Amino acid sequence: MSARSEHNADTARAAEWIATSLRTAGLETEVIPTSGHPIVLGEWRRAGPDRPTVLVYGHYDVQPPEPLDLWTSPPFEPTARDGKIFARGAVDDKGQVFLHVKALEAHLRVRGRLPVNVIVLIEGEEEVGSDHLGDFVRANTERLRCEAVVISDSSMFAPGVPSILSSLRGLTYFELVVDGPASDLHSGMYGGAVVNPATALAHIIASFHDEDGHVAVPGFYDSVRQPDPDVVRQIRALDFNEERFRREVGAPALGGEARYSTLERMWLRPTCEINGLLSGYTGEGAKTVLPARAMAKVSCRLVPDQDPRAIEKLVEAHVGRVAPRGVRATVRHLHGGRPWRTDLSGLIYDAARRALAAAFHRDPVVAGEGGSIPVVADFADALRAPVLLMGFGLPGENAHAPDEWMSVENFELGMRAVATLWDTL
Ligand code: BES
Ligand code: MN
Ligand code: MN
């Protein structure tokens, strides 16, 4: 759990565990400390200089498992039920990292060698923004030089439908704190005369969107680059049923930016979302109190070419303009990551299409993704290598939620696809 320092020893143990499995598979392995969680690096470079070098990236850290009482079996005791492995990290991303390790191990056990040179980089800070990995990548471009980066940390569009991602959204995540009076006040004695921080916060966050669901922060869309019409066409052609999706998420109705479809809203458009809210009395019954402080956790998902810091500055300026007199509103940066987009042309994508088709007995689709993997843009820039995002999760897998699972069938087919990819390449 990279976010929780009380679990640092467990996180370090996870790093050692994955290092040991890489070593057992036959890779030279190193656990590299950072000022955060360690980076695990495995290498096998004996395919020869005429063979391509690939870099496999994944993360061994996970999101906290709470609420624990909603898990059917304990989050850190992997349990197989109904063709699924349930555990925190089953799909995001330990299971998907492990299928890569096992595919490499299979090659090395059966043939004593790999058809390509391989670098495996597994980090422990993805779920908290990969703060130290960007610097590591930039400082080690020679060692990490490769023809392609391959990542399995995403999902397939539907069961049986292998998927290659053409984009990831970026992210800026911040805390918005509204301070009012020096301490909580009696809401009868003072209410009406002192500006209420909870009401002020509600006013501020309500101003983040207009009636049409567009983000109303001035300048927010200025640097949005239009997506490739070809990708838009491919996304529109996907077999996606909005009503089925609505039932899956269990919401009374879907909603978002006017004039965009659900997939476009999730994959191609930037957003501003409240992730958490806290203020005043929330216990049983009533307590009459005017809270001294209110707080919101806010994330903006970003698309090319929005810059996380620049967007945060725009939000900060907007908050400064709309915050009512009588409170102090402050924006505190938590983490961020740049968006990423590819045109899916080149050797690695051709090889992936063939390997996925061989393993799944059908051609892959091109999908987008609303989530973020902060280091992907750094890989693309610093290593100048194409990034292949080929994940084996499935819709409904409960990533970041109770009862996270990975399909056993996909684990096996993913392993086959990856093993075949190295041959195809
Ligand atoms: N694997 C996910 C991101 C993801 C999800 C990519 C689905 C593609 C498909 C990753 O572990 C994740 O959760 N990222 C965070 C990043 C953040 C904490 C910096 C996210 O998107 O919220
Ligand atoms: Mn992940
Ligand atoms: Mn995640």
Side-chain angles (χ1 to χ4, degrees), residues 59 61 63 91-93 96 125-130 152-155 165 167-171 173 275 299 301 335-337 368-374 389 397 399-400:
H59 61 94
D61 64 322
Q63 295 269 341
V91 69
D92 185 11
D93 181 33
Q96 300 201 69
E125 300 191 312
E126 196 279 339
E127 299 291 8
V128 288
S130 298
S152 298
D153 187 23
S154 54
S155 304
L165 298 191
S167 62
L168 286 171
R169 288 196 291 193
L171 178 76
Y173 199 125
N275 292 243
S299 71
R301 295 285 168 170
H335 56 63
E369 177 49 54
S372 311
I373 306 177
L389 283 150
E397 67 199 4
H400 296 196

Side-chain angles (χ1 to χ4, degrees), residues 106-190:
H107 268 286
L108 288 165
R109 286 276 158 92
V110 173
R111 299 186 190 150
R113 62 192 315 278
L114 285 161
V116 291
N117 301 298
V118 174
I119 308 165
V120 180
L121 192 171
I122 313 297
E123 70 150 323
E125 300 191 312
E126 196 279 339
E127 299 291 8
V128 288
S130 298
D131 274 351
H132 301 99
L133 188 57
D135 288 343
F136 178 82
V137 171
R138 281 182 288 274
N140 290 278
T141 49
E142 267 316 301
R143 184 172 184 185
L144 301 178
R145 187 153 47 149
C146 60
E147 271 67 49
V149 178
V150 177
I151 303 178
S152 298
D153 187 23
S154 54
S155 304
M156 308 203 311
F157 180 66
V161 183
S163 311
I164 297 175
L165 298 191
S166 66
S167 62
L168 286 171
R169 288 196 291 193
L171 178 76
T172 180
Y173 199 125
F174 53 90
E175 209 169 80
L176 173 53
V177 178
V178 177
D179 283 303
S183 93
D184 285 1
L185 299 172
H186 190 294
S187 69
M189 291 164 66
Y190 298 92

